[in-house]
Amino acid sequence: MLSDSLAQQKQKLRAKLRFRRRHFAANLDTMARLTAFRALPAPLADLVAASGPVAAYAALGSEPDILPMLTGETLALPHHDGRVETMDFRRWQPGDPLVKGPWGTPQPADDAEYLRPGLILCPLVGFDRHGGRLGQGGGHYDRFFAAYPDIMRIGIAWSVQEVDTVPIEPTDARLDAILTEQEYIVTGDRL
């Protein structure tokens, strides 16, 4: 029997990890929910402070909500002009409206100012300790990372989204670090 293609392996892993993430987030106790992702660990706090605009995201579904730990920072959120392969980042601050983007994700309004982030905090479907990341599958972050390889990349996930090895394609960009509700994992040599 032939093994599954890499794309099929990734799709099966996404389904498994999305289920795991949903179940985990739905069963968090009250105290864990109140404390998860509410404060930056010291090394990441220093990096955020030194990086200029920080790219974050508005959590969707069971994704970790990181916006409360970024108060006082200049933030940029992903923005899609349509169902296209590219994305950019636009300024957002608490209180600004979020609109439903073409992929169903909350994003800044079309007239929000473009920003080039100095650091990207990106949501994950899965990760490994070598910086492998599994995203939603559209390649938007990978294309942005390829266009701006100097920008530090920090993945955000619940600890249950960790796997031994993420299947990697040549176009997949590795992470510099991962933040979970339990730990800050440095994966690359840029930090």
mmCIF file with all atom_site columns, all heavy atoms in Angstrom, residues 29-55:
data_model
loop_
_atom_site.group_PDB
_atom_site.id
_atom_site.type_symbol
_atom_site.label_atom_id
_atom_site.label_alt_id
_atom_site.label_comp_id
_atom_site.label_asym_id
_atom_site.label_entity_id
_atom_site.label_seq_id
_atom_site.pdbx_PDB_ins_code
_atom_site.Cartn_x
_atom_site.Cartn_y
_atom_site.Cartn_z
_atom_site.occupancy
_atom_site.B_iso_or_equiv
_atom_site.pdbx_formal_charge
_atom_site.auth_seq_id
_atom_site.auth_comp_id
_atom_site.auth_asym_id
_atom_site.auth_atom_id
_atom_site.pdbx_PDB_model_num
ATOM 1   N N   . ASP A 1 29 ? -10.935 24.522 33.113 1.00 0.00 ? 29 ASP A N   1
ATOM 2   C CA  . ASP A 1 29 ? -11.660 24.984 34.301 1.00 0.00 ? 29 ASP A CA  1
ATOM 3   C C   . ASP A 1 29 ? -11.584 26.514 34.380 1.00 0.00 ? 29 ASP A C   1
ATOM 4   O O   . ASP A 1 29 ? -10.826 27.158 33.663 1.00 0.00 ? 29 ASP A O   1
ATOM 5   C CB  . ASP A 1 29 ? -11.154 24.315 35.581 1.00 0.00 ? 29 ASP A CB  1
ATOM 6   C CG  . ASP A 1 29 ? -9.720  24.679 35.938 1.00 0.00 ? 29 ASP A CG  1
ATOM 7   O OD1 . ASP A 1 29 ? -9.312  25.835 35.723 1.00 0.00 ? 29 ASP A OD1 1
ATOM 8   O OD2 . ASP A 1 29 ? -9.009  23.810 36.464 1.00 0.00 ? 29 ASP A OD2 1
ATOM 9   N N   . THR A 1 30 ? -12.386 27.086 35.242 1.00 0.00 ? 30 THR A N   1
ATOM 10  C CA  . THR A 1 30 ? -12.512 28.543 35.333 1.00 0.00 ? 30 THR A CA  1
ATOM 11  C C   . THR A 1 30 ? -11.173 29.226 35.595 1.00 0.00 ? 30 THR A C   1
ATOM 12  O O   . THR A 1 30 ? -10.840 30.223 34.955 1.00 0.00 ? 30 THR A O   1
ATOM 13  C CB  . THR A 1 30 ? -13.522 28.918 36.433 1.00 0.00 ? 30 THR A CB  1
ATOM 14  O OG1 . THR A 1 30 ? -14.753 28.258 36.138 1.00 0.00 ? 30 THR A OG1 1
ATOM 15  C CG2 . THR A 1 30 ? -13.752 30.409 36.483 1.00 0.00 ? 30 THR A CG2 1
ATOM 16  N N   . MET A 1 31 ? -10.391 28.717 36.528 1.00 0.00 ? 31 MET A N   1
ATOM 17  C CA  . MET A 1 31 ? -9.106  29.344 36.857 1.00 0.00 ? 31 MET A CA  1
ATOM 18  C C   . MET A 1 31 ? -8.140  29.271 35.676 1.00 0.00 ? 31 MET A C   1
ATOM 19  O O   . MET A 1 31 ? -7.466  30.255 35.355 1.00 0.00 ? 31 MET A O   1
ATOM 20  C CB  . MET A 1 31 ? -8.481  28.685 38.087 1.00 0.00 ? 31 MET A CB  1
ATOM 21  C CG  . MET A 1 31 ? -7.209  29.385 38.544 1.00 0.00 ? 31 MET A CG  1
ATOM 22  S SD  . MET A 1 31 ? -7.414  31.162 38.861 1.00 0.00 ? 31 MET A SD  1
ATOM 23  C CE  . MET A 1 31 ? -8.276  31.109 40.399 1.00 0.00 ? 31 MET A CE  1
ATOM 24  N N   . ALA A 1 32 ? -8.080  28.134 35.008 1.00 0.00 ? 32 ALA A N   1
ATOM 25  C CA  . ALA A 1 32 ? -7.194  28.004 33.845 1.00 0.00 ? 32 ALA A CA  1
ATOM 26  C C   . ALA A 1 32 ? -7.613  28.972 32.742 1.00 0.00 ? 32 ALA A C   1
ATOM 27  O O   . ALA A 1 32 ? -6.776  29.586 32.090 1.00 0.00 ? 32 ALA A O   1
ATOM 28  C CB  . ALA A 1 32 ? -7.204  26.576 33.331 1.00 0.00 ? 32 ALA A CB  1
ATOM 29  N N   . ARG A 1 33 ? -8.897  29.120 32.538 1.00 0.00 ? 33 ARG A N   1
ATOM 30  C CA  . ARG A 1 33 ? -9.402  30.031 31.508 1.00 0.00 ? 33 ARG A CA  1
ATOM 31  C C   . ARG A 1 33 ? -9.041  31.482 31.843 1.00 0.00 ? 33 ARG A C   1
ATOM 32  O O   . ARG A 1 33 ? -8.718  32.271 30.966 1.00 0.00 ? 33 ARG A O   1
ATOM 33  C CB  . ARG A 1 33 ? -10.912 29.873 31.375 1.00 0.00 ? 33 ARG A CB  1
ATOM 34  C CG  . ARG A 1 33 ? -11.491 30.605 30.182 1.00 0.00 ? 33 ARG A CG  1
ATOM 35  C CD  . ARG A 1 33 ? -12.960 30.304 29.973 1.00 0.00 ? 33 ARG A CD  1
ATOM 36  N NE  . ARG A 1 33 ? -13.279 28.909 29.765 1.00 0.00 ? 33 ARG A NE  1
ATOM 37  C CZ  . ARG A 1 33 ? -13.077 28.225 28.636 1.00 0.00 ? 33 ARG A CZ  1
ATOM 38  N NH1 . ARG A 1 33 ? -12.539 28.841 27.608 1.00 0.00 ? 33 ARG A NH1 1
ATOM 39  N NH2 . ARG A 1 33 ? -13.392 26.963 28.531 1.00 0.00 ? 33 ARG A NH2 1
ATOM 40  N N   . LEU A 1 34 ? -9.093  31.830 33.131 1.00 0.00 ? 34 LEU A N   1
ATOM 41  C CA  . LEU A 1 34 ? -8.780  33.201 33.550 1.00 0.00 ? 34 LEU A CA  1
ATOM 42  C C   . LEU A 1 34 ? -7.295  33.530 33.467 1.00 0.00 ? 34 LEU A C   1
ATOM 43  O O   . LEU A 1 34 ? -6.928  34.692 33.334 1.00 0.00 ? 34 LEU A O   1
ATOM 44  C CB  . LEU A 1 34 ? -9.268  33.440 34.979 1.00 0.00 ? 34 LEU A CB  1
ATOM 45  C CG  . LEU A 1 34 ? -10.782 33.532 35.170 1.00 0.00 ? 34 LEU A CG  1
ATOM 46  C CD1 . LEU A 1 34 ? -11.122 33.588 36.651 1.00 0.00 ? 34 LEU A CD1 1
ATOM 47  C CD2 . LEU A 1 34 ? -11.335 34.746 34.442 1.00 0.00 ? 34 LEU A CD2 1
ATOM 48  N N   . THR A 1 35 ? -6.440  32.529 33.564 1.00 0.00 ? 35 THR A N   1
ATOM 49  C CA  . THR A 1 35 ? -5.006  32.801 33.619 1.00 0.00 ? 35 THR A CA  1
ATOM 50  C C   . THR A 1 35 ? -4.260  32.502 32.313 1.00 0.00 ? 35 THR A C   1
ATOM 51  O O   . THR A 1 35 ? -3.173  33.022 32.105 1.00 0.00 ? 35 THR A O   1
ATOM 52  C CB  . THR A 1 35 ? -4.346  32.005 34.756 1.00 0.00 ? 35 THR A CB  1
ATOM 53  O OG1 . THR A 1 35 ? -4.569  30.607 34.544 1.00 0.00 ? 35 THR A OG1 1
ATOM 54  C CG2 . THR A 1 35 ? -4.893  32.429 36.106 1.00 0.00 ? 35 THR A CG2 1
ATOM 55  N N   . ALA A 1 36 ? -4.833  31.696 31.446 1.00 0.00 ? 36 ALA A N   1
ATOM 56  C CA  . ALA A 1 36 ? -4.130  31.306 30.213 1.00 0.00 ? 36 ALA A CA  1
ATOM 57  C C   . ALA A 1 36 ? -3.928  32.512 29.298 1.00 0.00 ? 36 ALA A C   1
ATOM 58  O O   . ALA A 1 36 ? -4.855  33.263 29.016 1.00 0.00 ? 36 ALA A O   1
ATOM 59  C CB  . ALA A 1 36 ? -4.917  30.225 29.487 1.00 0.00 ? 36 ALA A CB  1
ATOM 60  N N   . PHE A 1 37 ? -2.703  32.702 28.864 1.00 0.00 ? 37 PHE A N   1
ATOM 61  C CA  . PHE A 1 37 ? -2.338  33.744 27.899 1.00 0.00 ? 37 PHE A CA  1
ATOM 62  C C   . PHE A 1 37 ? -2.724  35.145 28.376 1.00 0.00 ? 37 PHE A C   1
ATOM 63  O O   . PHE A 1 37 ? -3.183  35.973 27.600 1.00 0.00 ? 37 PHE A O   1
ATOM 64  C CB  . PHE A 1 37 ? -2.954  33.446 26.526 1.00 0.00 ? 37 PHE A CB  1
ATOM 65  C CG  . PHE A 1 37 ? -2.482  32.148 25.943 1.00 0.00 ? 37 PHE A CG  1
ATOM 66  C CD1 . PHE A 1 37 ? -3.268  31.007 26.037 1.00 0.00 ? 37 PHE A CD1 1
ATOM 67  C CD2 . PHE A 1 37 ? -1.253  32.052 25.324 1.00 0.00 ? 37 PHE A CD2 1
ATOM 68  C CE1 . PHE A 1 37 ? -2.830  29.797 25.521 1.00 0.00 ? 37 PHE A CE1 1
ATOM 69  C CE2 . PHE A 1 37 ? -0.795  30.848 24.799 1.00 0.00 ? 37 PHE A CE2 1
ATOM 70  C CZ  . PHE A 1 37 ? -1.594  29.710 24.901 1.00 0.00 ? 37 PHE A CZ  1
ATOM 71  N N   . ARG A 1 38 ? -2.522  35.419 29.651 1.00 0.00 ? 38 ARG A N   1
ATOM 72  C CA  . ARG A 1 38 ? -2.834  36.743 30.187 1.00 0.00 ? 38 ARG A CA  1
ATOM 73  C C   . ARG A 1 38 ? -1.582  37.560 30.491 1.00 0.00 ? 38 ARG A C   1
ATOM 74  O O   . ARG A 1 38 ? -1.665  38.753 30.729 1.00 0.00 ? 38 ARG A O   1
ATOM 75  C CB  . ARG A 1 38 ? -3.704  36.640 31.450 1.00 0.00 ? 38 ARG A CB  1
ATOM 76  C CG  . ARG A 1 38 ? -5.112  36.124 31.195 1.00 0.00 ? 38 ARG A CG  1
ATOM 77  C CD  . ARG A 1 38 ? -5.780  36.952 30.105 1.00 0.00 ? 38 ARG A CD  1
ATOM 78  N NE  . ARG A 1 38 ? -7.136  36.539 29.807 1.00 0.00 ? 38 ARG A NE  1
ATOM 79  C CZ  . ARG A 1 38 ? -7.495  35.865 28.715 1.00 0.00 ? 38 ARG A CZ  1
ATOM 80  N NH1 . ARG A 1 38 ? -6.615  35.497 27.831 1.00 0.00 ? 38 ARG A NH1 1
ATOM 81  N NH2 . ARG A 1 38 ? -8.760  35.574 28.506 1.00 0.00 ? 38 ARG A NH2 1
ATOM 82  N N   . ALA A 1 39 ? -0.419  36.907 30.492 1.00 0.00 ? 39 ALA A N   1
ATOM 83  C CA  . ALA A 1 39 ? 0.838   37.624 30.744 1.00 0.00 ? 39 ALA A CA  1
ATOM 84  C C   . ALA A 1 39 ? 1.931   37.021 29.871 1.00 0.00 ? 39 ALA A C   1
ATOM 85  O O   . ALA A 1 39 ? 2.008   35.794 29.711 1.00 0.00 ? 39 ALA A O   1
ATOM 86  C CB  . ALA A 1 39 ? 1.222   37.521 32.217 1.00 0.00 ? 39 ALA A CB  1
ATOM 87  N N   . LEU A 1 40 ? 2.756   37.877 29.316 1.00 0.00 ? 40 LEU A N   1
ATOM 88  C CA  . LEU A 1 40 ? 3.885   37.413 28.502 1.00 0.00 ? 40 LEU A CA  1
ATOM 89  C C   . LEU A 1 40 ? 5.003   36.911 29.411 1.00 0.00 ? 40 LEU A C   1
ATOM 90  O O   . LEU A 1 40 ? 5.330   37.589 30.395 1.00 0.00 ? 40 LEU A O   1
ATOM 91  C CB  . LEU A 1 40 ? 4.422   38.557 27.652 1.00 0.00 ? 40 LEU A CB  1
ATOM 92  C CG  . LEU A 1 40 ? 3.537   39.038 26.517 1.00 0.00 ? 40 LEU A CG  1
ATOM 93  C CD1 . LEU A 1 40 ? 4.025   40.388 25.999 1.00 0.00 ? 40 LEU A CD1 1
ATOM 94  C CD2 . LEU A 1 40 ? 3.508   38.018 25.398 1.00 0.00 ? 40 LEU A CD2 1
ATOM 95  N N   . PRO A 1 41 ? 5.619   35.778 29.104 1.00 0.00 ? 41 PRO A N   1
ATOM 96  C CA  . PRO A 1 41 ? 6.798   35.379 29.877 1.00 0.00 ? 41 PRO A CA  1
ATOM 97  C C   . PRO A 1 41 ? 7.923   36.384 29.629 1.00 0.00 ? 41 PRO A C   1
ATOM 98  O O   . PRO A 1 41 ? 7.993   37.013 28.568 1.00 0.00 ? 41 PRO A O   1
ATOM 99  C CB  . PRO A 1 41 ? 7.139   33.995 29.332 1.00 0.00 ? 41 PRO A CB  1
ATOM 100 C CG  . PRO A 1 41 ? 6.451   33.893 28.028 1.00 0.00 ? 41 PRO A CG  1
ATOM 101 C CD  . PRO A 1 41 ? 5.288   34.839 28.051 1.00 0.00 ? 41 PRO A CD  1
ATOM 102 N N   . ALA A 1 42 ? 8.800   36.539 30.604 1.00 0.00 ? 42 ALA A N   1
ATOM 103 C CA  . ALA A 1 42 ? 9.838   37.578 30.557 1.00 0.00 ? 42 ALA A CA  1
ATOM 104 C C   . ALA A 1 42 ? 10.619  37.629 29.242 1.00 0.00 ? 42 ALA A C   1
ATOM 105 O O   . ALA A 1 42 ? 10.742  38.706 28.653 1.00 0.00 ? 42 ALA A O   1
ATOM 106 C CB  . ALA A 1 42 ? 10.781  37.435 31.747 1.00 0.00 ? 42 ALA A CB  1
ATOM 107 N N   . PRO A 1 43 ? 11.164  36.504 28.735 1.00 0.00 ? 43 PRO A N   1
ATOM 108 C CA  . PRO A 1 43 ? 11.941  36.637 27.491 1.00 0.00 ? 43 PRO A CA  1
ATOM 109 C C   . PRO A 1 43 ? 11.092  37.127 26.313 1.00 0.00 ? 43 PRO A C   1
ATOM 110 O O   . PRO A 1 43 ? 11.560  37.906 25.492 1.00 0.00 ? 43 PRO A O   1
ATOM 111 C CB  . PRO A 1 43 ? 12.460  35.222 27.214 1.00 0.00 ? 43 PRO A CB  1
ATOM 112 C CG  . PRO A 1 43 ? 12.092  34.376 28.373 1.00 0.00 ? 43 PRO A CG  1
ATOM 113 C CD  . PRO A 1 43 ? 11.143  35.138 29.236 1.00 0.00 ? 43 PRO A CD  1
ATOM 114 N N   . LEU A 1 44 ? 9.845   36.685 26.252 1.00 0.00 ? 44 LEU A N   1
ATOM 115 C CA  . LEU A 1 44 ? 8.973   37.126 25.163 1.00 0.00 ? 44 LEU A CA  1
ATOM 116 C C   . LEU A 1 44 ? 8.532   38.572 25.373 1.00 0.00 ? 44 LEU A C   1
ATOM 117 O O   . LEU A 1 44 ? 8.424   39.340 24.415 1.00 0.00 ? 44 LEU A O   1
ATOM 118 C CB  . LEU A 1 44 ? 7.762   36.198 25.030 1.00 0.00 ? 44 LEU A CB  1
ATOM 119 C CG  . LEU A 1 44 ? 6.817   36.492 23.866 1.00 0.00 ? 44 LEU A CG  1
ATOM 120 C CD1 . LEU A 1 44 ? 7.549   36.579 22.532 1.00 0.00 ? 44 LEU A CD1 1
ATOM 121 C CD2 . LEU A 1 44 ? 5.720   35.436 23.808 1.00 0.00 ? 44 LEU A CD2 1
ATOM 122 N N   . ALA A 1 45 ? 8.303   38.972 26.605 1.00 0.00 ? 45 ALA A N   1
ATOM 123 C CA  . ALA A 1 45 ? 7.935   40.363 26.901 1.00 0.00 ? 45 ALA A CA  1
ATOM 124 C C   . ALA A 1 45 ? 9.039   41.309 26.436 1.00 0.00 ? 45 ALA A C   1
ATOM 125 O O   . ALA A 1 45 ? 8.764   42.361 25.848 1.00 0.00 ? 45 ALA A O   1
ATOM 126 C CB  . ALA A 1 45 ? 7.669   40.536 28.390 1.00 0.00 ? 45 ALA A CB  1
ATOM 127 N N   . ASP A 1 46 ? 10.291  40.944 26.670 1.00 0.00 ? 46 ASP A N   1
ATOM 128 C CA  . ASP A 1 46 ? 11.417  41.769 26.220 1.00 0.00 ? 46 ASP A CA  1
ATOM 129 C C   . ASP A 1 46 ? 11.459  41.852 24.697 1.00 0.00 ? 46 ASP A C   1
ATOM 130 O O   . ASP A 1 46 ? 11.703  42.923 24.129 1.00 0.00 ? 46 ASP A O   1
ATOM 131 C CB  . ASP A 1 46 ? 12.741  41.202 26.745 1.00 0.00 ? 46 ASP A CB  1
ATOM 132 C CG  . ASP A 1 46 ? 12.868  41.290 28.258 1.00 0.00 ? 46 ASP A CG  1
ATOM 133 O OD1 . ASP A 1 46 ? 12.126  42.084 28.883 1.00 0.00 ? 46 ASP A OD1 1
ATOM 134 O OD2 . ASP A 1 46 ? 13.705  40.548 28.809 1.00 0.00 ? 46 ASP A OD2 1
ATOM 135 N N   . LEU A 1 47 ? 11.229  40.734 24.035 1.00 0.00 ? 47 LEU A N   1
ATOM 136 C CA  . LEU A 1 47 ? 11.233  40.694 22.574 1.00 0.00 ? 47 LEU A CA  1
ATOM 137 C C   . LEU A 1 47 ? 10.100  41.547 22.003 1.00 0.00 ? 47 LEU A C   1
ATOM 138 O O   . LEU A 1 47 ? 10.298  42.320 21.065 1.00 0.00 ? 47 LEU A O   1
ATOM 139 C CB  . LEU A 1 47 ? 11.103  39.241 22.100 1.00 0.00 ? 47 LEU A CB  1
ATOM 140 C CG  . LEU A 1 47 ? 11.250  38.967 20.617 1.00 0.00 ? 47 LEU A CG  1
ATOM 141 C CD1 . LEU A 1 47 ? 12.614  39.409 20.101 1.00 0.00 ? 47 LEU A CD1 1
ATOM 142 C CD2 . LEU A 1 47 ? 11.036  37.488 20.346 1.00 0.00 ? 47 LEU A CD2 1
ATOM 143 N N   . VAL A 1 48 ? 8.910   41.436 22.580 1.00 0.00 ? 48 VAL A N   1
ATOM 144 C CA  . VAL A 1 48 ? 7.757   42.228 22.143 1.00 0.00 ? 48 VAL A CA  1
ATOM 145 C C   . VAL A 1 48 ? 8.057   43.715 22.305 1.00 0.00 ? 48 VAL A C   1
ATOM 146 O O   . VAL A 1 48 ? 7.812   44.517 21.398 1.00 0.00 ? 48 VAL A O   1
ATOM 147 C CB  . VAL A 1 48 ? 6.485   41.813 22.915 1.00 0.00 ? 48 VAL A CB  1
ATOM 148 C CG1 . VAL A 1 48 ? 5.378   42.847 22.770 1.00 0.00 ? 48 VAL A CG1 1
ATOM 149 C CG2 . VAL A 1 48 ? 6.002   40.446 22.444 1.00 0.00 ? 48 VAL A CG2 1
ATOM 150 N N   . ALA A 1 49 ? 8.610   44.096 23.440 1.00 0.00 ? 49 ALA A N   1
ATOM 151 C CA  . ALA A 1 49 ? 8.903   45.508 23.707 1.00 0.00 ? 49 ALA A CA  1
ATOM 152 C C   . ALA A 1 49 ? 9.916   46.081 22.720 1.00 0.00 ? 49 ALA A C   1
ATOM 153 O O   . ALA A 1 49 ? 9.857   47.259 22.375 1.00 0.00 ? 49 ALA A O   1
ATOM 154 C CB  . ALA A 1 49 ? 9.408   45.670 25.142 1.00 0.00 ? 49 ALA A CB  1
ATOM 155 N N   . ALA A 1 50 ? 10.840  45.254 22.252 1.00 0.00 ? 50 ALA A N   1
ATOM 156 C CA  . ALA A 1 50 ? 11.901  45.719 21.359 1.00 0.00 ? 50 ALA A CA  1
ATOM 157 C C   . ALA A 1 50 ? 11.555  45.610 19.879 1.00 0.00 ? 50 ALA A C   1
ATOM 158 O O   . ALA A 1 50 ? 12.323  46.052 19.034 1.00 0.00 ? 50 ALA A O   1
ATOM 159 C CB  . ALA A 1 50 ? 13.175  44.915 21.634 1.00 0.00 ? 50 ALA A CB  1
ATOM 160 N N   . SER A 1 51 ? 10.411  45.042 19.548 1.00 0.00 ? 51 SER A N   1
ATOM 161 C CA  . SER A 1 51 ? 10.118  44.691 18.155 1.00 0.00 ? 51 SER A CA  1
ATOM 162 C C   . SER A 1 51 ? 9.291   45.679 17.363 1.00 0.00 ? 51 SER A C   1
ATOM 163 O O   . SER A 1 51 ? 9.097   45.492 16.174 1.00 0.00 ? 51 SER A O   1
ATOM 164 C CB  . SER A 1 51 ? 9.418   43.330 18.109 1.00 0.00 ? 51 SER A CB  1
ATOM 165 O OG  . SER A 1 51 ? 10.290  42.337 18.567 1.00 0.00 ? 51 SER A OG  1
ATOM 166 N N   . GLY A 1 52 ? 8.759   46.701 17.977 1.00 0.00 ? 52 GLY A N   1
ATOM 167 C CA  . GLY A 1 52 ? 7.898   47.599 17.220 1.00 0.00 ? 52 GLY A CA  1
ATOM 168 C C   . GLY A 1 52 ? 6.510   46.996 17.072 1.00 0.00 ? 52 GLY A C   1
ATOM 169 O O   . GLY A 1 52 ? 6.077   46.240 17.929 1.00 0.00 ? 52 GLY A O   1
ATOM 170 N N   . PRO A 1 53 ? 5.820   47.269 15.975 1.00 0.00 ? 53 PRO A N   1
ATOM 171 C CA  . PRO A 1 53 ? 4.474   46.710 15.856 1.00 0.00 ? 53 PRO A CA  1
ATOM 172 C C   . PRO A 1 53 ? 4.487   45.185 15.985 1.00 0.00 ? 53 PRO A C   1
ATOM 173 O O   . PRO A 1 53 ? 5.351   44.511 15.436 1.00 0.00 ? 53 PRO A O   1
ATOM 174 C CB  . PRO A 1 53 ? 4.031   47.115 14.452 1.00 0.00 ? 53 PRO A CB  1
ATOM 175 C CG  . PRO A 1 53 ? 4.885   48.275 14.095 1.00 0.00 ? 53 PRO A CG  1
ATOM 176 C CD  . PRO A 1 53 ? 6.194   48.046 14.796 1.00 0.00 ? 53 PRO A CD  1
ATOM 177 N N   . VAL A 1 54 ? 3.531   44.674 16.734 1.00 0.00 ? 54 VAL A N   1
ATOM 178 C CA  . VAL A 1 54 ? 3.407   43.232 16.952 1.00 0.00 ? 54 VAL A CA  1
ATOM 179 C C   . VAL A 1 54 ? 2.200   42.735 16.177 1.00 0.00 ? 54 VAL A C   1
ATOM 180 O O   . VAL A 1 54 ? 1.092   43.242 16.341 1.00 0.00 ? 54 VAL A O   1
ATOM 181 C CB  . VAL A 1 54 ? 3.235   42.907 18.453 1.00 0.00 ? 54 VAL A CB  1
ATOM 182 C CG1 . VAL A 1 54 ? 2.979   41.424 18.666 1.00 0.00 ? 54 VAL A CG1 1
ATOM 183 C CG2 . VAL A 1 54 ? 4.460   43.361 19.233 1.00 0.00 ? 54 VAL A CG2 1
ATOM 184 N N   . ALA A 1 55 ? 2.423   41.744 15.324 1.00 0.00 ? 55 ALA A N   1
ATOM 185 C CA  . ALA A 1 55 ? 1.312   41.100 14.624 1.00 0.00 ? 55 ALA A CA  1
ATOM 186 C C   . ALA A 1 55 ? 0.734   40.051 15.553 1.00 0.00 ? 55 ALA A C   1
ATOM 187 O O   . ALA A 1 55 ? 1.442   39.200 16.079 1.00 0.00 ? 55 ALA A O   1
ATOM 188 C CB  . ALA A 1 55 ? 1.794   40.459 13.332 1.00 0.00 ? 55 ALA A CB  1
#
